[in-house]
Amino acid sequence: MSVEHAAVQRADFDQVMVPNYAPAAFIPVRGAGSRVWDQAGRELIDFAGGIAVNVLGHAHPALVGALTEQANKLWHVSNVFTNEPALRLAHKLIDATFAERVFFCNSGAEANEAAFKLARRVAFDRFGSEKYEIIAALNSFHGRTLFTVNVGGQSKYSDGFGPKITGITHVPYNDLAALKAAVSEKTCAVVLEPIQGEGGVLPAELAYLQGARELCDANNALLVFDEVQTGMGRSGKLFAYQHYGVTPDILTSAKSLGGGFPIAAMMTTEALAKHLVVGTHGTTYGGNPLACAVAEAVIDVVNTPEVLSGVNAKHDKFKTRLQQIGEKYGLFTQVRGLGLLIGCVLSEAWKGKAKDIFNAAEQEGLMILQAGPDVIRFAPSLVVEDADIDAGLDRFERAAAKLTQA
């Protein structure tokens, strides 16, 4: 049974929404795989993936089926009770990772908030009130709550909201000497993204993560990996830490975990998890049956040799073509990243003009992303078809040609 809805247009956003976003001029209304259609029926190829969220594209039948089945059973019961989808999903995440315990919430910021609170609580319980300092990387991004935005190393996001949370230090990413100089007996956690996402799609060096692990061990501090953007197959492994062979104490996941349905997770060991006793932390919607049912379907599809090996093959296809486009048009000088989280670093002539490239791509029917003003970011579906990769990059090249000829 169809329902009649009132007609709305992009102009309505400016009338009814808080102006903290600046959405594109068109409104997507339908998606299938890696294609999206707007209100006018225009087709676009989606290489943005809802900012690394739509891990299986749009309207994937396994996810639609899981959501529909659960929607006819149970939507919400709160954490006064547990539920079957949450328990099944937790088992699957534990079986696939270092983790022994899982906390479910709704967003990457919430997962990181829980991780940082856990790190401080562990240090408080074990070593006392003076061990609370968190060390994070400059240009990192960990969310928009007051705690997480302060841990994130970008003052443009944290300035202007009153006194900042104390006990947080920022050091340059991939600089082990700077990290070593900052860690002390007061450090409760070192927080890192294995690949900086918003900071420019910048992968960590192996020695950096290994050194961070050693520094944490030597100073009774916890190593926290924020895999909100890199998790759930995005890197070509289920989680990026598995590329490096460096195991964190706490790991956060969101974005791709639900394939578009809001869900996040903080994963850790039994020994650390026991510090969050009943009443110390919570969330009304965390572990929602609908979200967990969808996420269970996501992991069932993604955590397979076919999909994960396909991610690496598709990475090579993207990188080869993007390097050719970069060289031909002089737009960017480097293509970096892992799996299907790819960043193109703009050349000197195009520094600061990522938004112009974003707009030009949209005009050619292609959805892409920025990672700051100097990097173009691609985060497509992990199962994007080769024909869509070719067609999308054709559109990207047409955009590059028009920009450089203008």
Side-chain angles (χ1 to χ4, degrees):
M1 183 179 71
S2 62
V3 178
E4 290 292 326
H5 296 289
V8 290
Q9 302 297 327
R10 168 60 180 83
D12 289 288
F13 180 94
D14 302 318
Q15 302 299 317
V16 300
M17 304 294 283
V18 172
N20 59 313
Y21 301 116
F26 67 96
I27 299 180
V29 295
R30 182 171 67 89
S34 292
R35 306 273 173 155
V36 169
W37 290 264
D38 70 8
Q39 287 180 312
R42 181 177 64 135
E43 178 205 80
L44 299 99
I45 295 175
D46 183 5
F47 285 172
I51 313 183
V53 167
N54 300 326
V55 67
L56 297 175
H58 298 274
H60 190 283
L63 307 194
V64 173
L67 180 59
T68 304
E69 179 183 354
Q70 187 60 42
N72 284 296
K73 291 181 178 179
L74 190 68
W75 283 33
H76 177 75
V77 291
S78 85
N79 285 296
V80 173
F81 311 92
T82 190
N83 65 80
E84 292 180 341
L87 296 176
R88 291 196 303 264
L89 176 60
H91 272 296
K92 288 181 177 180
L93 288 169
I94 287 168
D95 289 346
T97 68
F98 75 95
E100 298 166 334
R101 295 290 186 271
V102 181
F103 168 80
F104 290 122
C105 45
N106 310 290
S107 69
E110 283 189 48
N112 284 329
E113 183 91 11
F116 305 157
K117 284 180 70 176
L118 174 60
R120 282 191 166 178
R121 177 54 67 104
V122 169
F124 178 88
D125 289 348
R126 293 181 177 180
F127 303 102
S129 60
E130 295 303 307
K131 192 176 178 68
Y132 64 89
E133 294 181 355
I134 292 172
I135 299 173
L138 291 168
N139 294 318
S140 61
F141 187 89
H142 301 294
R144 298 282 197 155
T145 66
L146 195 58
F147 197 173
T148 59
V149 83
N150 276 274
V151 175
Q154 300 189 57
S155 59
K156 64 182 179 182
Y157 295 134
S158 59
D159 289 348
F161 297 100
K164 296 192 177 184
I165 293 175
T166 58
I168 300 168
T169 300
H170 297 101
V171 295
Y173 190 67
N174 272 333
D175 186 336
L176 186 56
L179 182 60
K180 186 174 182 178
V183 172
S184 74
E185 61 183 12
K186 292 186 176 182
T187 303
C188 75
V190 173
V191 179
L192 297 171
E193 298 163 274
I195 305 171
Q196 283 198 331
E198 303 298 319
V201 191
L202 180 61
E205 296 166 0
L206 175 59
Y208 181 62
L209 295 189
Q210 289 174 332
R213 175 72 275 174
E214 292 168 3
L215 285 168
C216 286
D217 291 342
N219 289 274
N220 293 312
L222 302 182
L223 181 60
V224 180
F225 280 172
D226 175 344
E227 293 226 34
V228 167
Q229 192 158 160
T230 55
M232 295 306 292
R234 177 65 53 189
S235 70
K237 299 278 190 183
L238 189 64
F239 290 98
Y241 83 87
Q242 295 164 330
H243 277 285
Y244 293 91
V246 177
T247 302
D249 299 295
I250 304 172
L251 182 145
T252 57
S253 176
K255 289 189 180 287
S256 291
L257 181 59
F261 201 103
I263 184 173
M266 179 194 72
M267 295 178 275
T268 189
T269 63
E270 178 184 4
L272 298 176
K274 68 183 182 183
H275 289 269
L276 286 185
V277 298
V278 173
T280 53
H281 192 59
T283 166
T284 298
Y285 287 109
N288 174 274
L290 292 170
C292 290
V294 175
E296 185 185 4
V298 170
I299 196 170
D300 285 347
V301 174
V302 169
N303 195 28
T304 58
E306 298 78 20
V307 170
L308 294 177
S309 63
V311 169
N312 293 313
K314 294 175 194 299
H315 169 90
D316 292 339
K317 189 174 181 67
F318 264 98
K319 186 172 183 178
T320 298
R321 181 75 185 280
L322 286 169
Q323 286 176 329
Q324 292 170 351
I325 293 171
E327 291 170 8
K328 183 175 181 180
Y329 298 96
L331 276 181
F332 40 87
T333 57
Q334 183 186 6
V335 180
R336 66 191 183 196
L338 284 175
L340 288 175
L341 182 59
I342 298 170
C344 299
V345 183
L346 299 186
S347 64
E348 282 297 323
W350 287 90
K351 280 257 173 75
K353 297 181 179 179
K355 185 67 173 179
D356 294 342
I357 300 171
F358 172 93
N359 291 334
E362 184 262 308
Q363 290 168 13
E364 295 299 322
L366 178 66
M367 298 160 68
I368 59 173
L369 296 165
Q370 301 173 235
D374 301 329
V375 178
I376 294 296
R377 176 173 34 161
F378 296 83
S381 160
L382 303 192
V383 294
V384 57
E385 295 181 3
D386 286 351
D388 286 338
I389 296 175
D390 291 336
L393 291 176
D394 285 345
R395 296 182 185 191
F396 186 64
E397 182 163 5
R398 286 199 295 274
K402 287 185 178 179
L403 277 171
T404 53
Q405 290 168 5

